[in-house]
Amino acid sequence: MPKNTKKQTTHSLRNGDVVVALRPNTNKWQMRVKKPDGVWEYKSSKTSDLDEAKQRAMDRYDELKFRQKNDMPLDDGRKFLEAANAYKRLLQELADVGASKPIHETYLRIVGKWLIPFFGKKDLHDIDEGVMSQYDSYVRNQMGSEPAKSTINSHNVVIRAIFDVAVKKKWLTRSQVPITTVKGKGKKAIRRPHFESAEWNKLTSLMHGKWRTKSKLYLSRYKREVLRIYVLVLGNTGMRPGIESLGLKWKDVSELKLNKQQIQDMQAQQPNTNNEDGSVVDTVLQFRVEGKTSAHQTEGQRMVTARLNVKGWLEELKELTGRTDNDDYLFCMPDGSPMKDFPHMFQLLLEQVDMRYNAAGQPRVLYSLRHMYATMRVRKGLSYHVLADQMGTSVEMIERHYSHVKNEEYAVPLAI
């Protein structure tokens, strides 16, 4: 009887956890490896040599065991796009439970406009410092100029968050996350335009004068009156224009009772602080704002203390809008909806007093009121830490943008 010479096409190794088999219509051996999680991995050995195919299959099996033992990801080749989409889903989950923050919209724009187009098809494991350097060049070329340090930092924040999601899903290890930094990159921050005291006085004089009623249209006069109070509140609280201030409702306004020492301190610094009826001021107005706040503040909220004159302006606002229920917006249209065209109205207002630009040619905007507030408070001697809490930012940011004000204060003693 002739000897059976049929070629064996399946070989089992490592107690059946590794299989090398020959598929029809190819001379390359396929390897099937059982991963530690019980899922079979199918790959070509990319060789027609049986012994070499067996060795590659066993090497892969040993590698997976090693990864399991060292808490390393088992999967290969996860794309950046998968991690980016997982991050987007995470932000959506936060939004669904009411825990999202306005800054998340910026992060999503960065993911869609910048990160996915560049990194999307790349394996997470292949993204290293070299690729990050290529991304820096990509952003620079797309923008047509060197981006600001703050822009680079925002991109880095999102990149780190996406890789953090990937690490938690065990798609790669913490040691495989590329280093991101702004050191030696980006344009230095330019001091932002603000208003000096004389300019502020000129602006408020116009708002308190005929400008507020100089229109035949009721809606135009109404919006000017609301804008006037809005500008005064921003300039006397340091709140951010936009979502942070326009989102305020009457339930977010409260009064803080001062203790005896606080009252004495206030009277020592500003003797004429009595109420109109002569009584001692013993409360200050506070706003609970939500928006872009420092990481140490809980749930994206902080309390903002207003200067004393703000209280009277809010009484005017109540009379003007007629909307004072807890869920009514402070700065609203006659129908109760939030104001939307204040930035444009403010630009027109500045043009009337020839203050649209500062001496350096930088355009002033509503945000300039926040910078004016910070500048004036630093000049009054308010500590950086207190000011950072009030404005919902970091001490480092205050130091970076307003340290020049301290230098002005000490100009004489430094010069003599």
Side-chain angles (χ1 to χ4, degrees), residues 324-387:
T324 59
D325 290 343
N326 282 341
D327 285 318
D328 285 337
Y329 288 103
L330 270 70
F331 306 105
C332 62
M333 295 288 286
D335 65 358
S337 60
M339 285 287 188
K340 294 181 179 179
D341 52 355
F342 274 172
H344 177 65
M345 291 178 63
F346 188 62
Q347 289 181 11
L348 296 177
L349 175 62
L350 292 179
E351 288 172 1
Q352 291 191 40
V353 287
D354 194 26
M355 286 194 294
R356 180 72 179 85
Y357 300 92
N358 67 2
Q362 296 172 295
R364 289 191 177 102
V365 292
L366 282 168
Y367 223 92
S368 299
L369 299 169
R370 176 173 164 87
H371 301 308
M372 177 193 70
Y373 174 86
T375 299
M376 299 306 176
R377 294 300 93 197
V378 171
R379 284 176 180 166
K380 286 283 188 180
L382 192 67
S383 78
Y384 288 167
H385 287 277
V386 173
L387 188 58

Coordinates of all heavy atoms in Angstrom, one line a residue, residues 324-387:
T324 N -37.8 90.2 36.6 CA -37.1 90.0 37.8 C -37.3 88.7 38.5 O -36.9 88.5 39.6 CB -37.5 91.1 38.8 OG1 -38.9 91.0 39.1 CG2 -37.2 92.5 38.3
D325 N -38.0 87.7 37.8 CA -38.1 86.4 38.3 C -36.8 85.7 38.4 O -35.8 86.1 37.6 CB -39.1 85.6 37.5 CG -40.5 86.1 37.6 OD1 -40.8 86.8 38.6 OD2 -41.3 85.7 36.7
N326 N -36.6 84.7 39.2 CA -35.4 84.0 39.4 C -34.8 83.5 38.1 O -33.5 83.6 37.9 CB -35.5 82.8 40.4 CG -35.6 83.3 41.8 OD1 -35.2 84.4 42.1 ND2 -36.1 82.4 42.7
D327 N -35.6 83.0 37.2 CA -35.1 82.4 36.0 C -35.0 83.4 34.8 O -34.8 83.0 33.7 CB -35.9 81.2 35.6 CG -35.5 80.0 36.5 OD1 -34.3 79.8 36.7 OD2 -36.5 79.3 36.9
D328 N -35.3 84.7 35.1 CA -35.2 85.7 34.0 C -33.7 86.1 33.9 O -33.0 86.2 34.9 CB -36.0 86.9 34.4 CG -37.5 86.7 34.2 OD1 -37.9 85.8 33.4 OD2 -38.3 87.5 34.8
Y329 N -33.3 86.4 32.6 CA -32.0 86.8 32.4 C -31.8 88.3 32.8 O -32.8 89.1 32.7 CB -31.6 86.7 30.9 CG -31.4 85.3 30.4 CD1 -32.4 84.6 29.7 CD2 -30.2 84.6 30.7 CE1 -32.2 83.3 29.3 CE2 -30.0 83.3 30.3 CZ -31.0 82.7 29.6 OH -30.8 81.4 29.2
L330 N -30.7 88.7 33.3 CA -30.4 90.1 33.6 C -30.4 90.9 32.4 O -31.1 91.9 32.3 CB -29.1 90.2 34.4 CG -29.1 90.1 35.9 CD1 -29.4 88.7 36.3 CD2 -27.8 90.6 36.5
F331 N -29.6 90.5 31.4 CA -29.4 91.3 30.2 C -30.2 90.7 29.1 O -29.7 89.8 28.4 CB -27.9 91.4 29.9 CG -27.1 92.0 31.1 CD1 -26.3 91.1 31.8 CD2 -27.1 93.3 31.4 CE1 -25.5 91.5 32.9 CE2 -26.4 93.8 32.5 CZ -25.6 92.9 33.2
C332 N -31.4 91.2 28.9 CA -32.3 90.5 28.0 C -33.0 91.5 27.0 O -33.0 92.7 27.3 CB -33.3 89.7 28.8 SG -34.4 90.7 29.8
M333 N -33.5 90.9 26.0 CA -34.4 91.6 25.0 C -35.7 91.8 25.7 O -36.0 91.2 26.7 CB -34.5 90.8 23.7 CG -33.2 90.7 23.0 SD -32.7 92.2 22.2 CE -33.9 92.3 20.8
P334 N -36.6 92.7 25.1 CA -37.9 92.9 25.7 C -38.7 91.6 25.9 O -39.5 91.5 26.8 CB -38.6 93.8 24.7 CG -37.4 94.6 24.1 CD -36.3 93.6 24.0
D335 N -38.4 90.6 25.0 CA -39.2 89.3 25.1 C -38.5 88.3 26.1 O -39.0 87.2 26.3 CB -39.3 88.6 23.7 CG -37.9 88.2 23.2 OD1 -36.9 88.5 23.8 OD2 -37.9 87.6 22.0
G336 N -37.5 88.8 26.8 CA -36.8 87.9 27.8 C -35.6 87.1 27.3 O -34.9 86.5 28.1
S337 N -35.4 87.1 26.0 CA -34.3 86.3 25.5 C -33.0 87.0 25.7 O -32.9 88.3 25.8 CB -34.5 86.0 24.0 OG -34.5 87.2 23.3
P338 N -31.8 86.3 25.8 CA -30.5 87.0 26.0 C -30.1 87.9 24.9 O -30.5 87.7 23.7 CB -29.6 85.8 26.2 CG -30.4 84.6 26.4 CD -31.7 84.8 25.7
M339 N -29.4 89.0 25.2 CA -28.9 89.9 24.2 C -27.8 89.1 23.4 O -27.1 88.3 23.9 CB -28.2 91.1 24.9 CG -29.3 92.1 25.4 SD -30.0 93.0 24.1 CE -31.0 94.2 25.0
K340 N -27.7 89.5 22.1 CA -26.8 88.9 21.2 C -25.9 89.8 20.4 O -24.8 89.4 20.0 CB -27.5 88.0 20.2 CG -28.2 86.8 20.8 CD -28.9 85.9 19.8 CE -29.6 84.8 20.5 NZ -30.3 83.9 19.5
D341 N -26.2 91.1 20.2 CA -25.5 92.0 19.4 C -24.7 93.1 20.1 O -24.4 94.1 19.6 CB -26.3 92.6 18.3 CG -27.6 93.3 18.9 OD1 -27.8 93.2 20.1 OD2 -28.3 93.9 18.1
F342 N -24.4 92.8 21.4 CA -23.6 93.8 22.2 C -22.2 94.1 21.6 O -21.8 95.2 21.6 CB -23.5 93.3 23.6 CG -24.7 93.7 24.5 CD1 -24.8 93.2 25.8 CD2 -25.7 94.6 24.0 CE1 -25.9 93.6 26.6 CE2 -26.7 94.9 24.8 CZ -26.8 94.4 26.1
P343 N -21.5 93.1 21.1 CA -20.1 93.4 20.6 C -20.2 94.4 19.5 O -19.3 95.4 19.5 CB -19.6 92.0 20.1 CG -20.4 91.0 20.9 CD -21.7 91.6 21.1
H344 N -21.1 94.3 18.6 CA -21.2 95.3 17.5 C -21.6 96.6 18.0 O -21.1 97.7 17.6 CB -22.2 94.8 16.4 CG -22.4 95.7 15.3 ND1 -21.4 96.1 14.4 CD2 -23.5 96.4 14.9 CE1 -21.8 97.0 13.5 NE2 -23.1 97.2 13.8
M345 N -22.6 96.7 18.9 CA -23.1 97.9 19.5 C -21.9 98.6 20.2 O -21.8 99.9 20.1 CB -24.2 97.7 20.4 CG -25.5 97.2 19.7 SD -26.8 96.9 20.9 CE -27.1 98.6 21.6
F346 N -21.1 97.8 20.9 CA -20.0 98.4 21.7 C -19.0 99.0 20.8 O -18.4 100.1 21.1 CB -19.4 97.4 22.6 CG -18.4 97.9 23.6 CD1 -18.8 98.8 24.5 CD2 -17.1 97.5 23.5 CE1 -17.8 99.3 25.4 CE2 -16.1 98.0 24.4 CZ -16.5 98.9 25.4
Q347 N -18.7 98.4 19.6 CA -17.8 99.0 18.7 C -18.2 100.3 18.2 O -17.5 101.3 18.0 CB -17.5 98.0 17.5 CG -16.8 96.7 17.9 CD -16.5 95.8 16.7 OE1 -16.8 96.2 15.6 NE2 -16.1 94.6 17.0
L348 N -19.5 100.4 17.8 CA -20.1 101.6 17.4 C -20.0 102.7 18.4 O -19.7 103.9 18.1 CB -21.5 101.4 16.9 CG -21.8 100.5 15.7 CD1 -23.3 100.3 15.5 CD2 -21.1 101.1 14.5
L349 N -20.2 102.3 19.7 CA -20.1 103.3 20.8 C -18.7 103.8 20.9 O -18.5 105.0 21.1 CB -20.5 102.5 22.1 CG -20.4 103.3 23.4 CD1 -21.3 104.6 23.4 CD2 -20.8 102.4 24.6
L350 N -17.7 102.9 20.8 CA -16.3 103.3 20.9 C -15.9 104.3 19.8 O -15.1 105.2 20.0 CB -15.4 102.1 21.0 CG -15.5 101.2 22.2 CD1 -14.5 100.1 22.0 CD2 -15.2 102.0 23.5
E351 N -16.5 104.1 18.6 CA -16.1 104.9 17.5 C -16.6 106.3 17.7 O -16.0 107.3 17.3 CB -16.8 104.3 16.2 CG -16.0 103.1 15.7 CD -16.8 102.4 14.6 OE1 -17.8 103.0 14.1 OE2 -16.3 101.4 14.1
Q352 N -17.7 106.5 18.5 CA -18.3 107.8 18.7 C -17.4 108.6 19.6 O -17.4 109.9 19.6 CB -19.7 107.7 19.3 CG -20.7 107.2 18.4 CD -22.1 107.4 18.9 OE1 -22.4 108.4 19.6 NE2 -23.0 106.4 18.7
V353 N -16.6 107.9 20.5 CA -15.7 108.7 21.4 C -14.2 108.5 20.9 O -13.3 108.8 21.7 CB -15.8 108.2 22.9 CG1 -17.1 108.7 23.5 CG2 -15.8 106.6 22.9
D354 N -14.0 108.0 19.7 CA -12.7 107.8 19.1 C -11.8 107.0 20.0 O -10.6 107.3 20.2 CB -12.1 109.2 18.9 CG -10.9 109.1 17.9 OD1 -10.8 108.2 17.1 OD2 -10.0 110.0 18.0
M355 N -12.3 105.9 20.5 CA -11.6 105.0 21.3 C -11.6 103.5 20.8 O -11.4 102.6 21.6 CB -12.0 105.0 22.8 CG -11.6 106.3 23.5 SD -11.8 106.2 25.3 CE -13.6 106.1 25.4
R356 N -11.9 103.4 19.5 CA -12.0 102.0 19.0 C -10.6 101.3 19.1 O -10.5 100.1 19.2 CB -12.4 102.1 17.5 CG -12.5 100.8 16.8 CD -13.7 100.0 17.3 NE -13.8 98.8 16.6 CZ -13.2 97.6 16.9 NH1 -12.4 97.6 17.9 NH2 -13.4 96.5 16.2
Y357 N -9.5 102.1 19.0 CA -8.2 101.5 19.0 C -7.4 102.2 20.1 O -7.6 103.4 20.4 CB -7.4 101.7 17.7 CG -8.2 101.0 16.6 CD1 -9.1 101.7 15.8 CD2 -7.9 99.6 16.3 CE1 -9.8 101.0 14.7 CE2 -8.6 99.0 15.2 CZ -9.5 99.7 14.5 OH -10.2 99.1 13.4
N358 N -6.4 101.5 20.7 CA -5.5 102.1 21.7 C -4.3 102.8 20.9 O -4.3 102.7 19.7 CB -5.1 101.1 22.7 CG -4.2 100.0 22.2 OD1 -3.8 100.0 21.0 ND2 -3.8 99.1 23.0
A359 N -3.4 103.3 21.7 CA -2.3 104.0 21.1 C -1.4 103.1 20.2 O -0.7 103.6 19.3 CB -1.4 104.7 22.2
A360 N -1.4 101.8 20.5 CA -0.6 100.9 19.7 C -1.3 100.4 18.5 O -0.8 99.5 17.8 CB -0.2 99.7 20.6
G361 N -2.6 100.9 18.3 CA -3.3 100.4 17.1 C -4.1 99.1 17.4 O -4.7 98.6 16.4
Q362 N -4.2 98.6 18.6 CA -4.9 97.4 18.9 C -6.4 97.7 19.1 O -6.7 98.7 19.7 CB -4.4 96.8 20.2 CG -2.9 96.3 20.1 CD -2.4 95.8 21.4 OE1 -2.3 96.6 22.4 NE2 -2.2 94.5 21.5
P363 N -7.3 96.9 18.5 CA -8.7 97.2 18.6 C -9.2 96.9 20.0 O -8.8 95.8 20.6 CB -9.3 96.3 17.6 CG -8.3 95.1 17.5 CD -7.0 95.8 17.7
R364 N -10.0 97.8 20.6 CA -10.6 97.5 21.9 C -12.0 96.8 21.6 O -12.7 97.1 20.7 CB -10.9 98.8 22.6 CG -9.6 99.5 23.2 CD -10.0 100.6 24.1 NE -8.9 101.2 24.7 CZ -8.4 102.4 24.3 NH1 -8.9 103.1 23.3 NH2 -7.3 102.9 25.0
V365 N -12.3 95.9 22.5 CA -13.5 95.1 22.5 C -14.1 95.1 23.9 O -13.5 95.6 24.8 CB -13.3 93.7 21.9 CG1 -12.9 93.7 20.5 CG2 -12.2 93.0 22.8
L366 N -15.2 94.4 24.0 CA -15.8 94.2 25.4 C -14.9 93.6 26.4 O -14.9 94.0 27.5 CB -17.1 93.4 25.3 CG -18.3 94.1 24.7 CD1 -19.5 93.2 24.4 CD2 -18.8 95.2 25.7
Y367 N -14.0 92.7 25.9 CA -13.0 92.1 26.8 C -12.1 93.1 27.4 O -11.5 92.9 28.4 CB -12.2 91.0 26.0 CG -12.1 89.7 26.8 CD1 -13.0 88.7 26.7 CD2 -11.0 89.6 27.6 CE1 -12.8 87.5 27.4 CE2 -10.8 88.4 28.3 CZ -11.7 87.4 28.2 OH -11.5 86.2 28.9
S368 N -11.9 94.3 26.7 CA -11.0 95.3 27.2 C -11.5 95.8 28.6 O -10.7 96.3 29.4 CB -10.9 96.5 26.2 OG -10.4 96.0 25.0
L369 N -12.8 95.7 28.9 CA -13.3 96.1 30.1 C -12.8 95.2 31.3 O -12.5 95.7 32.4 CB -14.9 96.1 30.1 CG -15.5 97.0 29.1 CD1 -17.0 96.7 29.0 CD2 -15.4 98.5 29.5
R370 N -12.7 94.0 31.0 CA -12.1 93.0 31.9 C -10.6 93.4 32.2 O -10.2 93.3 33.4 CB -12.2 91.6 31.4 CG -11.6 90.5 32.2 CD -12.0 89.2 31.6 NE -11.2 88.0 32.1 CZ -11.4 87.3 33.2 NH1 -12.5 87.6 33.9 NH2 -10.7 86.3 33.5
H371 N -9.9 93.7 31.2 CA -8.5 94.1 31.4 C -8.4 95.4 32.1 O -7.4 95.6 32.9 CB -7.8 94.2 30.1 CG -7.8 92.9 29.3 ND1 -7.5 91.7 29.9 CD2 -8.2 92.6 28.1 CE1 -7.6 90.7 29.0 NE2 -8.1 91.2 27.9
M372 N -9.3 96.3 31.9 CA -9.3 97.6 32.7 C -9.5 97.3 34.1 O -8.8 97.8 35.0 CB -10.4 98.5 32.1 CG -10.5 99.8 32.9 SD -12.0 100.7 32.6 CE -13.3 99.7 33.3
Y373 N -10.5 96.4 34.4 CA -10.8 96.1 35.8 C -9.6 95.5 36.5 O -9.2 95.9 37.6 CB -11.9 95.1 35.9 CG -12.2 94.5 37.3 CD1 -13.1 95.2 38.1 CD2 -11.6 93.4 37.7 CE1 -13.3 94.7 39.4 CE2 -11.9 92.9 39.0 CZ -12.7 93.6 39.8 OH -13.0 93.1 41.1
A374 N -8.9 94.6 35.8 CA -7.7 93.9 36.4 C -6.6 95.0 36.7 O -5.9 95.0 37.7 CB -7.2 92.8 35.5
T375 N -6.4 95.8 35.7 CA -5.3 96.8 35.8 C -5.6 97.8 37.0 O -4.7 98.0 37.8 CB -5.3 97.7 34.5 OG1 -4.9 96.8 33.4 CG2 -4.2 98.7 34.6
M376 N -6.8 98.2 37.1 CA -7.2 99.1 38.2 C -7.1 98.5 39.5 O -6.7 99.1 40.5 CB -8.6 99.7 38.0 CG -8.8 100.5 36.7 SD -7.6 101.8 36.5 CE -8.0 102.5 34.9
R377 N -7.5 97.2 39.6 CA -7.4 96.5 40.9 C -6.0 96.2 41.3 O -5.7 96.3 42.5 CB -8.2 95.1 40.8 CG -9.7 95.2 40.6 CD -10.4 95.9 41.7 NE -10.6 97.3 41.4 CZ -10.9 98.3 42.2 NH1 -11.1 97.9 43.5 NH2 -11.0 99.5 41.9
V378 N -5.1 95.9 40.4 CA -3.7 95.7 40.7 C -3.1 97.1 41.2 O -2.3 97.1 42.2 CB -2.9 95.2 39.5 CG1 -1.4 95.2 39.8 CG2 -3.4 93.8 39.2
R379 N -3.5 98.1 40.6 CA -3.0 99.5 41.0 C -3.5 99.8 42.4 O -2.8 100.5 43.1 CB -3.4 100.5 40.0 CG -2.7 100.5 38.7 CD -3.2 101.5 37.7 NE -2.4 101.6 36.5 CZ -2.8 102.1 35.4 NH1 -4.0 102.8 35.3 NH2 -2.1 102.1 34.3
K380 N -4.6 99.3 42.8 CA -5.2 99.5 44.1 C -4.5 98.6 45.1 O -4.7 98.8 46.3 CB -6.7 99.2 44.1 CG -7.5 100.3 43.4 CD -7.7 101.5 44.3 CE -8.7 102.5 43.7 NZ -8.9 103.7 44.6
G381 N -3.6 97.7 44.7 CA -2.9 96.9 45.6 C -3.5 95.5 45.9 O -3.1 94.8 46.8
L382 N -4.6 95.2 45.1 CA -5.2 93.9 45.3 C -4.2 92.8 45.0 O -3.5 92.8 44.0 CB -6.5 93.7 44.4 CG -7.4 92.6 44.7 CD1 -8.1 92.8 46.1 CD2 -8.5 92.5 43.6
S383 N -4.2 91.7 45.8 CA -3.2 90.7 45.6 C -3.6 89.9 44.3 O -4.7 89.8 43.9 CB -3.1 89.7 46.8 OG -4.2 88.8 46.8
Y384 N -2.5 89.3 43.7 CA -2.7 88.5 42.5 C -3.6 87.3 42.8 O -4.5 86.9 42.0 CB -1.4 88.0 41.9 CG -0.5 89.0 41.3 CD1 0.8 88.8 41.0 CD2 -1.1 90.3 40.9 CE1 1.6 89.8 40.4 CE2 -0.3 91.2 40.3 CZ 1.0 91.0 40.0 OH 1.8 91.9 39.4
H385 N -3.5 86.7 44.0 CA -4.3 85.5 44.3 C -5.8 85.9 44.4 O -6.6 85.1 43.9 CB -3.8 84.9 45.6 CG -2.5 84.2 45.5 ND1 -2.4 82.9 45.1 CD2 -1.2 84.6 45.7 CE1 -1.1 82.5 45.1 NE2 -0.3 83.6 45.5
V386 N -6.1 87.0 45.1 CA -7.5 87.4 45.2 C -8.1 87.7 43.9 O -9.2 87.3 43.5 CB -7.6 88.6 46.2 CG1 -9.0 89.1 46.2 CG2 -7.2 88.1 47.6
L387 N -7.3 88.4 43.1 CA -7.8 88.8 41.7 C -8.0 87.6 40.8 O -8.9 87.6 40.1 CB -6.7 89.8 41.1 CG -7.2 90.5 39.8 CD1 -8.5 91.3 40.0 CD2 -6.1 91.4 39.3

